[in-house]
Amino acid sequence: MPAPALHARLSRRLCGLESSPIREVLAVLERPGMISFAGGLPAAQTFPRIDLGRLARGCLQYGPSEGDPALRRRVASDLRRLGLTCTAEQVLILSGSQQGIDLVAKLFIDPDTPVAVESPTYLAALQVFRFFGARLETIETPARWARAAPAERPAFAYVIPTFQNPSGRCYGTDERRALAASCDAASVPLFEDDPYRELAYEACERTPVCAYLRRASWVYQGSFSKSFAPGLRLGFLAASPDLLPLLVRLKQAADLHSSRLSQQLVLRHLESRSAAQRLDAIVAIYRRKRDRFARVLERELAALAEWRVPAGGLFFWLRLRTAIDTRNLLAPALERGVAFMPGEFFHPDRAQGTGTLRLNFSHATADQAERGLAALAELIGRGAA
Ligand SMILES: Cc1ncc(COP(=O)(O)O)c(C=O)c1O
């Protein structure tokens, strides 16, 4: 806590600033021997080998806030293939898709602005929306938005329809169409966050919900973190023409532009002949890891919890058969060298998350998954007794 004299000078908004529970757990992970099921860390074996020798010197100069034109053109053409109507001028390159969440929050949220989110949802989005003072409401029946008074409609709806973080859920076609129709009918802007779409282990519907919109404003964002390298801090958004210029101004104020070195590396990768092959190899690695993790989970935790094997993404979402507060399990788990994410943090109303937890399967080795899940099962068994 800052000293009282300093505290009085800080912005009122700062009252809503909570530290990210994930980043706190990640800090503990530096301890030797820790097994992590906590963050969404890609496996180091999937990272590219990067040769910096042939990069243009031009990328050491300042660049445009919107991003390098060649990368914007490439992203736009990839998005058109997914069904989005999108030109290069509608693309903004981001310093990680986390920045898109920050920019969209700045665009829409004043204290007490209603914002619709899934429950559970990505906890770092909740952290940002709360920081700007959002009144969070859960997306349950979006069809009712059109009947609500305009002031009661959410300023925007934030969704992760494909391999959702944390639940792993993937919306079907009807659900995608219905959400788009509700946003159109009530003029609720849709903010679709899609960082996991490339990590698909089974065939499933992945058309962006934004592609089904006819009238409503929209922001669709993706990331190069999960399929390329998170340390490059590069993502992108595409937005309807009414929102894009405002998002560009917010980006200018935030960081001028994203790293041009990272942009060159990503563009070079996207345009290389081996890009598709590399993605296939990553997906195969994660599919094997997921299947192995599922087998160990079944052996260790079937009596204590239930879950669905995710068709994509990086997480298993567990519901305990006895609803204990999983935050109380975190300290003893860390003491035993195992990190996980309590489910409470992913809910706009934390009480609704009692008895849930998220386990990442991409980072731990097979041996760590065996030992970590056995330790977790013992702790949960004791907590539930
Ligand atoms: C749903 C979701 N959105 C955004 C992000 C941020 O990703 P990045 O900033 O690395 O692109 C993450 C990271 O895990 C995520 O799960």
Side-chain angles (χ1 to χ4, degrees):
M1 259 317 246
L6 173 59
H7 197 257
R9 291 184 184 277
L10 298 177
S11 75
R12 254 173 271 146
R13 213 185 291 119
L14 217 74
C15 302
L17 180 62
E18 297 176 338
S19 104
S20 158
I22 287 217
R23 305 230 64 90
E24 285 183 0
V25 174
L26 288 184
V28 182
L29 297 184
E30 298 300 319
R31 285 190 210 151
M34 275 304 278
I35 298 173
S36 175
F37 306 135
L41 299 190
Q45 73 197 105
T46 67
F47 291 160
R49 280 180 208 288
I50 289 179
D51 167 15
L52 292 177
R54 285 180 297 112
L55 286 170
R57 276 170 63 82
C59 74
L60 300 180
Q61 187 52 275
Y62 281 117
S65 294
E66 292 86 345
D68 281 7
L71 181 58
R72 293 173 77 202
R73 282 196 297 276
R74 171 70 204 212
V75 168
S77 110
D78 288 350
L79 293 181
R80 282 195 297 275
R81 243 176 280 134
L82 303 184
L84 277 174
T85 308
C86 170
T87 64
E89 288 67 41
Q90 283 170 262
V91 172
L92 173 63
I93 303 300
L94 300 167
S95 302
S97 59
Q98 185 66 30
Q99 183 175 50
I101 296 172
D102 185 63
L103 300 184
V104 171
K106 285 175 177 159
L107 183 62
F108 284 111
I109 305 176
D110 284 318
D112 211 36
T113 298
V115 171
V117 296
E118 297 159 305
S119 181
T121 188
Y122 176 44
L123 59 77
L126 291 179
Q127 183 193 29
V128 177
F129 299 158
R130 285 195 181 112
F131 174 66
F132 285 101
R135 173 158 45 91
L136 297 171
E137 56 181 62
T138 304
I139 299 178
E140 270 156 15
T141 40
R144 113 190 122 68
W145 291 336
R147 297 192 299 275
E152 288 309 310
R153 294 175 193 165
F156 66 93
Y158 169 74
V159 289
I160 314 162
T162 304
F163 313 138
Q164 208 246 11
N165 180 3
S167 68
R169 203 164 83 81
C170 196
Y171 290 25
T173 310
D174 290 350
E175 212 175 347
R176 286 170 195 259
R177 284 184 189 281
L179 176 58
S182 297
C183 289
D184 277 337
S187 299
V188 171
L190 183 66
F191 178 20
E192 180 170 8
D193 193 2
D194 204 7
Y196 299 102
R197 63 163 290 110
E198 289 179 302
L199 304 182
Y201 317 123
E202 329 290 349
C204 46
E205 170 65 285
R206 288 183 289 158
T207 308
V209 177
C210 288
Y212 292 116
L213 291 173
R214 290 177 195 283
R215 282 184 299 279
S217 303
W218 55 274
V219 178
Y220 171 90
Q221 70 170 20
S223 174
F224 300 110
S225 289
K226 310 298 176 181
S227 55
F228 195 58
L232 294 180
R233 304 308 304 128
L234 212 68
F236 62 86
L237 65 74
S240 48
D242 53 342
L243 298 183
L244 199 274
L246 302 171
L247 289 161
V248 171
R249 277 184 231 165
L250 288 166
K251 163 89 180 167
Q252 288 166 352
D255 66 352
L256 305 185
H257 65 78
S258 298
S259 156
R260 298 190 75 195
L261 187 60
S262 296
Q263 294 185 67
Q264 275 231 4
L265 290 170
V266 165
L267 180 63
R268 198 170 70 178
H269 159 68
L270 292 175
E271 297 198 326
S272 71
R273 261 179 288 154
S274 58
Q277 229 177 335
R278 217 185 135 260
L279 180 61
D280 287 348
I282 293 175
V283 167
I285 291 172
Y286 286 156
R287 188 186 292 110
R288 269 200 306 279
K289 274 180 169 281
R290 176 201 65 167
D291 292 345
R292 218 162 26 212
F293 204 88
R295 283 195 295 277
V296 185
L297 264 179
E298 191 61 42
R299 192 183 69 217
E300 299 290 347
L301 278 134
L304 297 167
E306 50 191 33
W307 61 87
R308 286 212 180 136
V309 177
L314 297 179
F315 307 107
F316 280 81
W317 177 245
L318 270 62
R319 184 167 291 284
L320 301 182
R321 296 187 193 280
T322 304
I324 50 180
D325 187 331
T326 52
R327 284 171 295 191
N328 298 334
L329 296 177
L330 188 56
L334 291 176
E335 239 165 67
R336 298 193 56 171
V338 185
F340 72 95
M341 279 317 296
E344 286 81 358
F345 296 125
F346 297 90
H347 290 77
D349 171 4
R350 286 193 177 140
Q352 291 203 335
T354 306
T356 57
L357 66 150
R358 191 192 73 175
L359 298 176
N360 164 263
F361 63 81
S362 58
H363 190 63
T365 62
D367 171 60
Q368 286 177 326
E370 295 266 350
R371 286 187 289 120
L373 289 177
L376 217 49
E378 197 191 311
L379 279 175
I380 293 171
R382 241 191 279 156

